[in-house]
Amino acid sequence: MSLIRKTAAELGALIASGEVSAVEVAQAHLDRIAEVDPQINAFLHVAADSALAQARAVDERRAAGEPLGPLAGVPIAHKDVFTTKDMPTTAGSKILEGYRPPYDATVTARLREAGLVILGKTNLDEFAMGSSTENSAYGPTRNPWDLSRIPGGSSGGSSAAVAAYQAPLSTGTDTGGSIRQPAAVTGIVGMKPTYGGSSRYGLIAFASSLDTPGPFARNVLDAALLHEAFSGHDSMDSTSIHEPVPPVVEAARRADVAGLRVGVVKEFGGEGYQPGVLARFREAVDLLESLGAKVVEVSCPSFGYALPAYYLIAPSECSSNLARFDGMRYGLRVGDDGTRSAEEVMALTRAAGFGPEVKRRIMLGTYALSSGYYDAYYGSAQKVRTLIARDFEAAFHQVDVLVSPTTPTTAFPIGERADDPMAMYLADLCTIPANLSGNAAISVPCGLADEDGLPVGLQIMAPVLGDDRCYRVGAAVEKALEDRWGGPLLKEAPSL
Amino acid sequence: MTTTQSVMPYDEALERFEPVLGLETHVELGTESKMFCGCSTAFGAPPNTHVCPVCLALPGALPVANDKAIESTIRIGLALNCTIAEWCRFARKNYFYPDMPKNYQISQYDEPLCSNGYLDVEVNGETVRIEIERVHLEEDTGKSTHVGGATGRIHGADYSIVDYNRAGIPLVEIVTKPIPGTDRLAPEVARAYVTELREVMRTLGVSDVRMEEGSLRCDVNVSLMPRGSAEWGTRTETKNVNSLRSVERAVRGEIERQAAILADGGKIVQETRHFHEDTGATTSGRSKEEAQDYRYFPEPDLLPIAPSPEWIAELRGELPELPGARRKRLQAEWGVSELDMAAMHNAGAIDLVEATVEAGVPAADARKWWMGELARRANESGRALAELPITPGQIARVVELVSSGALNDKLARQVLEGVLAGEGSPDEVVEARGLRIVNDEGELSSIIDQVLSANADAADKVRAGKIAAAGALVGGVMKASRGKADAARARELILEKLGVSE
């Protein structure tokens, strides 16, 4: 089997044992990128030289007899919203075109410490705002299952890169579903850790109270290994949790659900959901029951308000977070011809540098925070947030995990929702509640929709710091389904 | 400034109107590192050398709150008799300005760390209680310099440069409640408040409070209402008031300016005004209509501040003696009046007198020397008392020489003059100038004999019982001895020689 088809765990073992070199593994993936990325457009920047250098360093460490971690030498694609001091960091925006940060994000630094080989930076919706990667200033990324369709977003470059075998692992960030939704529509695994479980330092902020770095992989165990590699407390992020990383790898290996109580969220399903998505979801629930889980229906009445609350909180925070992009210190600067004031240069720079969706959200948030409207909008949204957290709390008194479809539909065609923001926002309907409450949630593949033959994701939500439960249930579902399918779902994807 | 504005003379303004004051003071804390990053807060470094991704607001950087700054703010709140919040948050104040890297300032909005306190200040020997609305913690901005143009202000400048060294230095904002009832003393009250606040900060050791370096800055709010009115007038906020004298001038100037407008039937515009140190005038800044909507919201990058009651109690217990309490204690110990104490306070003499007393000098003597001879000399040379090149220990030595009879007051003044002139220690000056008192009885006796024979008339009067005439004879002895005689002993000997007794 070619190196690019192997799992991260397998590659790590092969490299550690010396059966293959990290350089060979890196080269195989760089070759794959050169071969398919012109069609996919997953990468904004490919760092071939530094990737090979990192791989060589791992090989040298092995040769010197140093112990290697489980992911040392394994290639990874890194979402271009994390700062990297040796590569450009654009957040998918023209306003940061060519920007080279002087420091590494904590996640970046931990990838390097774990010996992961960073192949390059992946495409995303500008500043992680979107559900399709169509909002990137550098062109859309395409879904490897169907090049005319979106790979999800905002971490669409990262999902597509893993689904197209350009990398076994990638990083993402999840603010309203930006890891789980792309994972679902590309048939891979994507995990949003508990908020504060992974560091935001060096993650270019969209919505500070929601942004959560997390892993993508083609299977649950690989995702858990990556999760463990970059998570944990960081003194540079005040919202980082002072707790050990939950035992995610152990849970992924355990992969059993016997006796576990599983709650099906009553509010997610019905109108607006694609029949094929609901069919695969119900089969997954039945499967869990057949594996020994106790399945009950759970009502979370406030979840219906999650989407509008999210579209007040996230834009409010983004309107402030993105204020720093003003052309004064870094990035694009427009109109500085010696005749204009600093305010005018700032305004021209922002007008030219931000795309339409970013501007829409900045305006929305500016309005929601303005004097006289704050209580009605931002204030009410925060109350909804509290209610959602209470719904989760009540639910987790009854059950160990909650499940739902990850997305209401499979991957939609590029351009279909580009002019209809509301339709686009609905893609995150099921994923947003876990962001508002800070819970852990994962998406694992649960089959293909009958109508279009495209992947469907199962979302598993766990309490705060219950990340291991997501992996345990996800791995059990994965194992049972792969037994049924005779291999991973991705085997069904058309070859590129 | 070319703007001319009509003013009403202060006395007339106060006959017609009553002022209401308000003061907002910003104090840069003297922490080692900035509020939200590890950069140094040292003043005067080359531009943009004390910066990092956090205080430059590079993409992805996050703030981490400086615990020491939070502690200092709580100590300030306790010193100002405030309630300390059990739980409060930072908030973002959003506005665009090139010297603010994030284009929002991390500050506090409706949940200040400290609230509802007071500070007692003394004006002309009377205590005035200034109510404190709130004390909160925020970060400073960078510093813009506008190059070219006539005014040094942004309008008309060719270009501007920004130094971010100051960006992110912890800043405590202390806001008073409105201060009515100060009447004619409004300027003095404002100055006394800022002076007292500065001393509290110094005593706490939380800031170097150097107004000239901007580590203590003051915004002055003033409104006027017609005498007898119950309704306060529209206020203006004068910014950039950066010396104690300017605080006083700004209040006075604004009273005079507003009175002229109101007397003319005009209306005061609610606005910020800029104070100009050179002229003492203020010019119009931003009006309320142009005021920004700061879109405050809780800072999501930082955790709430939740100081435990135990910690607050510990900090309260460790507070040093505060300036007001110390003055009361010293006043009682020294047995001086409120007015004398106020005079010492205003002259900056309290520390010096206290140190002199500690060196063994009776309080009355210590006060006499510092507030008399030395205050006069400081005044003459335009220096502060503490800047005189003489130490409390040297004063103590001089006083010791006087009480042992080796010097009299006149000689002692000469010794001080010598010390101030850099001639050495008191003993060295006595030696070099030959200032020891004449207490050789033989020498004194012969001087007296000369004086008596030269002033036979006066001597006769004394003999005849007009003892008061002896004063002139003593004066003659002092003159003949060039001040070195012991006047009391000379008087005794004169009376003895003339055969009279008192």
Side-chain angles (χ1 to χ4, degrees):
Chain A
M1 190 159 82
S2 97
L3 288 174
I4 61 165
R5 304 271 158 180
K6 294 197 179 300
T7 67
E10 287 164 354
L11 289 172
L14 289 171
I15 292 165
S17 69
E19 279 175 68
V20 295
S21 72
V23 169
E24 282 173 86
V25 173
Q27 192 59 58
H29 286 90
L30 290 168
D31 291 347
R32 173 69 175 175
I33 292 168
E35 181 195 344
V36 303
D37 209 51
Q39 299 170 72
I40 304 285
N41 193 32
F43 284 84
L44 294 179
H45 176 79
V46 178
D49 291 344
S50 79
L52 291 169
Q54 289 171 70
R56 244 187 319 275
V58 170
D59 288 336
E60 280 161 14
R61 278 169 53 202
R62 202 198 82 80
E66 284 179 44
L68 298 180
L71 297 179
V74 176
I76 187 165
H78 201 20
K79 187 176 182 181
D80 198 24
V81 76
F82 293 100
T83 59
T84 42
K85 61 184 170 194
D86 55 352
M87 296 171 213
T89 301
T90 68
S93 180
K94 282 286 176 213
I95 213 161
L96 282 178
E97 189 161 20
Y99 172 67
R100 282 182 178 262
Y103 76 106
D104 273 343
T106 298
V107 167
T108 306
R110 291 187 180 172
L111 297 181
R112 295 190 204 276
E113 282 160 28
L116 282 148
V117 171
I118 302 173
L119 297 170
K121 306 291 288 287
T122 59
N123 201 10
L124 66 154
D125 285 300
E126 184 177 3
F127 286 103
M129 297 177 199
S131 306
S132 68
T133 319
E134 291 167 288
N135 297 332
S136 168
Y138 304 98
T141 298
R142 292 165 187 280
N143 191 323
W145 289 77
D146 177 346
L147 296 176
S148 72
R149 290 180 187 258
I150 60 103
S154 65
S155 314
S158 285
S159 64
V162 169
Y165 299 97
Q166 299 177 81
L169 298 171
S170 63
T171 58
T173 58
D174 193 315
T175 304
S178 281
I179 291 174
R180 290 160 288 159
Q181 182 259 5
V185 302
T186 56
I188 64 171
V189 176
M191 170 75 182
K192 182 201 94 70
T194 295
Y195 177 80
S198 49
S199 169
R200 293 186 297 115
Y201 189 72
L203 155 59
I204 299 179
F206 160 19
S208 309
S209 71
L210 303 163
D211 294 344
T212 312
F216 284 104
R218 286 191 291 267
N219 66 64
V220 174
L221 177 62
D222 282 3
L225 288 167
L226 180 55
H227 181 135
E228 192 174 66
F230 68 63
S231 302
H233 181 251
D234 176 17
S235 61
M236 297 298 280
D237 175 359
S238 306
T239 59
S240 162
I241 298 176
H242 274 273
E243 293 287 340
V245 181
V248 292
V249 173
E250 190 193 316
R253 291 210 164 97
R254 182 169 169 188
D256 83 274
V257 292
L260 219 61
R261 297 166 302 165
V262 173
V264 175
V265 181
K266 185 180 150 199
E267 283 74 13
F268 290 150
E271 208 187 325
Y273 288 76
Q274 194 176 316
V277 168
L278 290 179
R280 292 296 88 80
F281 171 65
R282 283 191 206 106
E283 283 171 20
V285 172
D286 292 345
L287 178 68
L288 281 166
E289 200 153 28
S290 74
L291 293 172
K294 259 182 71 183
V295 176
V296 292
E297 190 174 71
V298 175
S299 176
C300 297
S302 302
F303 282 16
Y305 302 104
L307 192 75
Y310 173 84
Y311 276 100
L312 290 168
I313 292 168
S316 294
E317 292 183 8
C318 103
S319 72
S320 176
N321 282 332
L322 269 60
R324 66 185 60 190
F325 301 101
D326 60 4
M328 293 294 115
R329 291 163 303 280
Y330 45 79
L332 184 70
R333 180 185 286 187
V334 175
D336 183 15
D337 59 4
T339 70
R340 293 191 171 93
S341 70
E343 279 89 348
E344 287 171 310
V345 171
M346 286 179 175
L348 289 167
T349 299
R350 291 165 66 78
F354 290 139
E357 181 62 25
V358 169
K359 285 178 186 163
R360 180 180 295 123
R361 296 198 194 190
I362 289 174
M363 285 188 279
L364 204 60
T366 302
Y367 184 76
L369 288 176
S370 54
S371 154
Y373 298 95
Y374 179 91
D375 289 339
Y377 295 124
Y378 189 79
S380 305
Q382 290 294 0
K383 285 178 192 150
V384 168
R385 198 169 181 171
T386 305
L387 293 177
I388 286 169
R390 283 190 197 150
D391 276 3
F392 269 117
E393 211 178 307
F396 289 126
H397 280 302
Q398 296 177 58
V399 296
D400 299 305
V401 293
L402 288 171
V403 294
S404 76
T406 307
T407 61
T409 69
T410 55
F412 46 87
I414 290 173
E416 186 188 81
R417 300 186 189 178
D419 298 323
D420 186 353
M422 280 310 294
M424 186 75 86
Y425 296 169
L426 285 172
D428 294 334
L429 194 63
C430 307
T431 46
I432 281 173
N435 292 95
L436 290 175
S437 63
N439 288 29
I442 198 168
S443 178
V444 296
C446 65
L448 302 176
D450 296 327
E451 310 83 60
D452 48 24
L454 291 168
V456 174
L458 168 70
Q459 177 176 230
I460 303 152
M461 294 173 274
V464 164
L465 286 172
D467 304 44
D468 50 318
R469 291 188 203 170
C470 295
Y471 286 100
R472 187 176 154 197
V473 176
V477 170
E478 178 183 73
K479 187 162 168 275
L481 286 175
E482 289 191 1
D483 286 349
R484 189 181 290 177
W485 299 330
L489 186 66
L490 264 182
K491 275 207 331 188
E492 309 298 320
S495 60
L496 290 163
Chain B
M1 300 307 299
T2 51
T3 338
T4 53
Q5 50 200 22
S6 60
V7 295
M8 180 183 284
Y10 187 72
D11 287 341
E12 191 188 338
L14 263 294
E15 270 166 35
R16 300 180 58 171
F17 300 102
E18 287 179 58
V20 177
L21 295 179
L23 290 141
E24 272 182 43
T25 314
H26 286 95
V27 176
E28 274 186 4
L29 294 180
T31 49
E32 285 290 307
S33 58
K34 289 187 181 181
M35 187 60 227
F36 298 114
C37 64
C39 289
S40 164
T41 58
F43 182 79
N48 297 309
T49 53
H50 291 170
V51 292
C52 74
V54 176
C55 59
L56 282 178
L58 297 190
L62 293 174
V64 176
N66 182 332
D67 289 341
K68 193 77 195 168
I70 291 171
E71 181 186 297
S72 295
T73 308
I74 293 174
R75 293 178 70 230
I76 292 169
L78 291 171
L80 298 178
N81 308 289
C82 289
T83 305
I84 310 301
E86 287 171 23
W87 189 92
C88 67
R89 288 178 292 188
F90 287 104
R92 290 190 187 175
K93 180 180 183 180
N94 294 284
Y95 64 99
F96 282 85
Y97 202 76
D99 66 17
M100 200 166 55
K102 298 185 291 293
N103 285 319
Y104 59 82
Q105 179 190 31
I106 303 179
S107 180
Q108 293 194 276
Y109 181 47
D110 50 358
E111 301 167 0
L113 186 46
C114 322
S115 55
N116 288 321
Y118 62 87
L119 179 64
D120 286 338
V121 306
E122 276 144 46
V123 181
N124 291 354
E126 304 241 341
T127 301
V128 180
R129 175 158 292 187
I130 308 292
E131 306 275 349
I132 306 288
E133 171 86 30
R134 57 187 283 154
V135 177
H136 79 238
L137 185 53
E138 59 188 29
E139 58 178 335
D140 211 342
T141 61
K143 208 170 160 62
S144 300
T145 307
H146 306 295
V147 183
T151 60
R153 298 185 50 74
I154 192 163
H155 295 292
D158 292 334
Y159 61 93
S160 302
I161 48 179
V162 191
D163 177 5
Y164 292 109
N165 284 350
R166 200 180 69 180
I169 289 185
L171 204 56
V172 169
E173 182 176 310
I174 301 157
V175 184
T176 68
K177 291 184 178 162
I179 311 165
T182 56
D183 213 334
R184 318 187 44 81
L185 290 176
E188 287 87 347
V189 168
R191 179 182 182 143
Y193 166 74
V194 180
T195 307
E196 186 69 12
L197 195 62
R198 195 174 64 161
E199 281 181 35
V200 169
M201 299 299 148
R202 276 208 192 112
T203 305
L204 293 172
V206 293
S207 170
D208 58 12
V209 281
R210 292 200 180 118
M211 293 187 87
E212 69 282 6
E213 287 179 5
S215 58
L216 187 151
R217 312 196 281 272
C218 202
D219 301 342
V220 177
N221 289 286
V222 176
S223 70
L224 293 185
M225 57 182 165
R227 288 227 160 250
S229 167
E231 199 179 321
W232 294 349
T234 304
R235 69 187 159 84
T236 61
E237 181 182 13
T238 302
K239 293 197 171 279
N240 198 25
V241 187
N242 292 335
S243 73
L244 293 174
R245 183 167 162 259
S246 297
V247 170
E248 202 172 332
R249 287 166 81 208
V251 172
R252 193 182 174 94
E254 196 51 20
I255 288 174
E256 292 173 343
R257 188 189 71 85
Q258 289 188 15
I261 293 170
L262 292 171
D264 227 23
K267 280 195 165 150
I268 303 302
V269 182
Q270 186 173 341
E271 61 181 355
T272 56
R273 299 186 64 82
H274 297 284
F275 183 76
H276 301 279
E277 292 278 347
D278 46 353
T279 61
T282 61
T283 52
S284 179
R286 224 180 24 235
S287 76
K288 194 193 175 190
E289 285 67 40
E290 301 165 60
Q292 312 232 15
D293 180 351
Y294 292 122
R295 295 176 283 118
Y296 282 102
F297 72 104
E299 166 57 276
D301 283 333
L302 292 166
L303 299 180
I305 308 172
S308 72
E310 296 74 26
W311 188 39
I312 292 171
E314 194 185 314
L315 292 176
R316 194 192 297 276
E318 288 166 358
L319 281 185
E321 183 185 31
L322 294 167
R326 172 171 168 250
R327 286 198 302 276
K328 283 208 170 60
R329 172 176 61 78
L330 292 175
Q331 189 192 338
E333 284 175 17
W334 297 346
V336 296
S337 70
E338 290 269 357
L339 269 175
D340 284 341
M341 204 63 199
M344 278 190 270
H345 185 210
N346 290 338
I350 289 177
D351 288 353
L352 298 165
V353 171
E354 190 187 24
T356 310
V357 171
E358 275 166 16
V361 175
D365 287 337
R367 185 169 73 84
K368 181 186 83 177
W369 286 109
W370 282 109
M371 294 303 290
E373 181 67 12
L374 291 165
R376 189 175 61 78
R377 289 189 176 272
N379 232 343
E380 279 167 9
S381 58
R383 282 180 291 189
L385 266 186
E387 289 167 356
L388 291 178
I390 189 163
T391 65
Q394 290 170 328
I395 303 292
R397 177 61 185 152
V398 172
V399 172
E400 191 186 352
L401 290 171
V402 172
S403 61
S404 73
L407 292 177
N408 57 26
D409 278 7
K410 190 177 172 195
L411 291 174
R413 276 194 285 277
Q414 292 180 45
V415 174
L416 293 180
E417 184 189 80
V419 173
L420 291 171
E423 293 168 21
S425 70
D427 289 297
E428 285 163 351
V429 174
V430 167
E431 192 60 41
R433 291 195 178 191
L435 295 177
R436 227 159 244 290
I437 208 160
V438 179
N439 49 13
D440 177 307
E441 290 273 322
E443 192 188 343
L444 185 56
S445 181
S446 78
I447 293 173
I448 289 170
D449 290 344
Q450 286 169 33
V451 170
L452 290 180
S453 62
N455 298 278
D457 289 354
D460 287 345
K461 280 181 188 167
V462 175
R463 279 194 197 95
K466 268 192 97 177
I467 290 172
L473 297 170
V474 173
V477 172
M478 295 311 288
K479 193 177 173 191
S481 69
R482 285 181 293 125
K484 291 189 232 170
D486 178 338
R489 182 65 189 140
R491 186 182 172 86
E492 280 173 23
L493 286 175
I494 288 167
L495 294 179
E496 199 180 306
K497 282 175 192 280
L498 297 177
V500 291
S501 59
E502 280 180 282

